[in-house]
Amino acid sequence: GGIWLLEPVGTVHGLTEVGVERGATKYVTRPEIFCNGKSVTTVQGDGLIIATPTGSTAYSVAAGGSMVHPEMSCFLITPICPHSLSFRPIIVPSTVDLEIRVISKSAWISMDGRNQHELAEGERVRISLSPFPVPTVSRLCATEDWFLGLSQCLSWNARESSTRLL
C-alpha cells in the first residue's frame, strides 16, 4: 500500500516516502515524531524519511535504512544525518498513525520526492496508511522478483572475487 499526508498540505497520496528536510538552510531541522498521539522522539539533523516497503530501496536505504519486502505492512522511520550516533532507523507497523511536528524555524516536506511544501515552526503533518492499496504485478512470485531485483538492480551483496597480488 501507499501512504498519505493530511493537513496542512491537504490530503496527498504517495507510494514511496515522505521526506522532512531542512531545505536550503545550513542549520539542522528538529522534527518531533508522534506515534498514535504520543511523542516518541525529536530528530536533530538534516531530516527524516518515513518510507513504505516500496520506498525502502530508494531514499531510505541511501540514508542507512533497511530494505523491506514489499508484502510487509509497515513504515520505516529513517533519520537523515542525525546528530546522535544512537538514533538508528526503526520499523513500525502500518496500523499506527504518525505525526511530525516542526520544532525548528521551518522544515520542508515532500511526498515521493515531489510537491515540496514549507512547514513553519509548530505546524504538524499526519501520515498514515492510504486506504487505496496499490496493486503490484509479479513476473514470477513477489519474493523471487524482489530478491532478483535486489541482485540485478542494486547489486545486493555482490563483490569481486579477491585476486592474489603476488
Side-chain angles (χ1 to χ4, degrees), residues 71-103:
E71 289 183 348
M72 300 296 296
S73 186
C74 61
F75 291 123
L76 292 81
I77 301 175
T78 307
I80 304 170
C81 298
H83 286 218
S84 168
L85 293 176
S86 65
F87 190 3
R88 301 290 93 212
I90 61 170
I91 298 173
V92 296
S94 62
T95 55
V96 301
D97 285 315
L98 296 172
E99 188 173 289
I100 309 297
R101 181 173 60 115
V102 179
I103 295 176

Side-chain angles (χ1 to χ4, degrees), residues 109-120:
I109 189 164
S110 64
M111 173 71 83
D112 295 347
R114 290 180 238 153
N115 304 321
Q116 279 199 332
H117 179 83
E118 187 173 18
L119 297 174

Side-chain angles (χ1 to χ4, degrees), residues 20-23 25 27-34 41-48 80 83 87 99-108 119-123:
V20 180
E21 303 169 65
R22 64 186 172 104
T25 181
Y27 301 105
V28 298
T29 190
R30 294 188 58 224
E32 183 177 10
I33 304 169
F34 292 82
T41 192
T42 300
V43 180
Q44 185 166 319
D46 288 352
L48 176 69
I80 304 170
H83 286 218
F87 190 3
E99 188 173 289
I100 309 297
R101 181 173 60 115
V102 179
I103 295 176
S104 50
K105 209 175 226 185
S106 71
W108 287 86
L119 297 174
E121 182 177 0
E123 283 193 296

